Amino acid sequence: RLERLQRVVTKLQMESGLCEEQLNQADALLQADLRLLGAGKAPHRAAELERDLDRADAMLRLLFNDVQSLKDGRHPQGEQMYRRVYRLHERLVAIRTEYNLRLKSGAPVTAVTVTQSVPAGQRLRPELDEATLRYLQDLLAWVEENQRRLTGAEWGTDLPTVETQLSSHRGLHHSIEEFHTKIERARADEVRLSGTEAPFLPQTSSKARLQHLESLQGFVSGATRELVWLDQKEQEEVSYDWSHRNPSVASKKDNYS
C-alpha cells in the first residue's frame, strides 16, 4: 500500500510540474497579447491560449483525484501535495479570469452589441463611453458564466468527492472575491446606464455554496467516521468465537445485558 501511494506522490510531482509549465505557457501568451492590445494591435493568440487553459484544467482534475487518494491513504505528503495542486488551481483561475476581463474586452464594440446591453426603451447616456461599455459587457459576461457554473454545480455523495468539490470551489470563490472592486465599478456603471442597481449574484451564490460545501464536508466526514466505527464493531462480532468452548462467552453475555 505504501509503495502504491509513493508511486502516486512521484506521479503528482512530475505531472504538477507539467501543469505548471502549461500555465507558464498560457500566461506568456496572455501577456504577449495584452502587450499587442496596449499597442493598439489586434491580439492573435486567443485560441491557443484557451487550448492551453483547457489542457491545464483537465490536468488539474486528475491531480486533485490523485491528491485525494493520498489523503484517503493518510500519506504524510498528502497535505503538502494538496497545497501544491491547490496553488496551481488558483493560478489557473487567475489567468483565465484575467483573460476574460482584460483580453476579451479588447474586442471592438459593435452597434448590435451595444444595443443588446441596453434595456429596451432606454438610450445610452453620453458619459458612458465605448471603453466603459466594453468593460461592463465583458465583466457581466464573466458574471453570467460563473453564475451558470454555480447554479449547475453538483453535490458530492461521498467524502472524497465532497472534498474535491470544496477544494475546487475555494479557488473559484477566491477569484470572485478578488474582483470585488471591479464588481463595484461595474455596479456604478450599470447605475449610470440603466438607473438601477443589480446584485452581484455570483458572490452571493459562491459564498452560500462554500458554506454549504463546508457544512456538507463536516457532515459526511462525521458520518464516514461513524460508518468506519460501525464496520469495525461488526467485524468484531462476526469474527467472535460464539461456541461453548470460548470461556469469555459468559462475560460477553453480561456485557450485552
Side-chain angles (χ1 to χ4, degrees):
R1 174 180 157 275
L2 287 175
E3 286 178 1
R4 179 181 61 80
L5 290 176
Q6 193 55 47
R7 286 196 296 272
V8 174
V9 171
T10 304
K11 177 172 175 279
L12 269 167
Q13 289 170 335
M14 181 185 70
E15 292 184 354
S16 62
L18 293 174
C19 184
E20 187 171 15
E21 289 177 10
Q22 191 79 61
L23 290 172
N24 288 340
Q25 182 173 313
D27 195 28
L29 291 172
L30 174 62
Q31 299 309 319
D33 265 2
L34 287 175
R35 285 192 294 272
L36 286 174
L37 194 62
K41 300 177 182 178
H44 57 275
R45 309 297 289 276
E48 189 178 351
L49 171 57
E50 287 188 6
R51 281 196 299 270
D52 282 348
L53 290 175
D54 288 343
R55 287 192 195 106
D57 196 345
M59 293 169 77
L60 277 165
R61 291 176 190 275
L62 297 176
L63 288 172
F64 270 121
N65 288 338
D66 286 340
V67 163
Q68 193 59 54
S69 67
L70 288 185
K71 294 180 78 174
D72 291 343
R74 302 186 185 280
H75 192 278
Q77 288 181 268
E79 189 60 30
Q80 176 191 347
M81 289 292 103
Y82 164 74
R83 287 195 299 270
R84 183 172 181 176
V85 174
Y86 181 65
R87 282 195 297 270
L88 290 173
H89 180 265
E90 279 190 319
R91 190 172 175 212
L92 170 67
V93 171
I95 294 173
R96 192 184 290 279
T97 304
E98 187 177 16
Y99 165 67
N100 285 334
L101 290 177
R102 295 186 62 197
L103 192 59
K104 282 189 174 182
S105 67
V109 180
T110 64
V112 173
T113 307
V114 172
T115 302
Q116 289 171 342
S117 300
V118 182
Q122 292 190 13
R123 292 184 177 182
L124 289 177
R125 299 193 179 181
E127 66 270 21
L128 206 60
D129 59 14
E130 183 176 322
T132 305
L133 271 175
R134 189 163 57 232
Y135 176 88
L136 180 58
Q137 287 165 347
D138 287 293
L139 191 55
L140 288 176
W142 184 88
V143 167
E144 289 167 3
E145 177 188 345
N146 283 284
Q147 183 61 38
R148 280 195 297 271
R149 288 176 62 187
L150 291 168
T151 304
E154 296 181 353
W155 302 92
T157 55
D158 54 35
L159 188 56
T161 309
V162 171
E163 289 188 336
T164 300
Q165 288 176 344
L166 180 57
S167 299
S168 175
H169 184 70
R170 278 179 176 148
L172 175 60
H173 186 70
H174 177 71
S175 169
I176 290 172
E177 290 289 339
E178 260 190 352
F179 280 86
H180 182 68
T181 54
K182 293 183 173 61
I183 299 306
E184 290 304 316
R185 177 183 155 191
R187 276 177 170 170
D189 289 341
E190 189 168 27
V191 169
R192 288 194 293 156
L193 176 64
S194 63
T196 59
E197 183 174 348
F200 178 38
L201 292 178
Q203 188 180 37
T204 305
S205 304
S206 177
K207 193 173 291 184
R209 177 169 168 79
L210 183 61
Q211 291 170 348
H212 292 158
L213 279 171
E214 287 172 343
S215 174
L216 182 61
Q217 182 200 29
F219 172 77
V220 176
S221 180
T224 301
R225 285 195 299 271
E226 296 296 337
L227 287 170
V228 169
W229 179 88
L230 191 63
D231 183 63
Q232 290 171 345
K233 294 300 179 185
E234 184 182 27
Q235 291 306 316
E236 288 176 15
E237 301 305 310
V238 169
S239 59
Y240 190 78
D241 180 8
W242 291 95
S243 71
H244 65 279
R245 294 186 298 274
N246 186 351
S248 302
V249 168
S251 60
K252 183 90 165 174
K253 208 175 200 179
D254 292 338
N255 287 337
Y256 267 95
S257 64

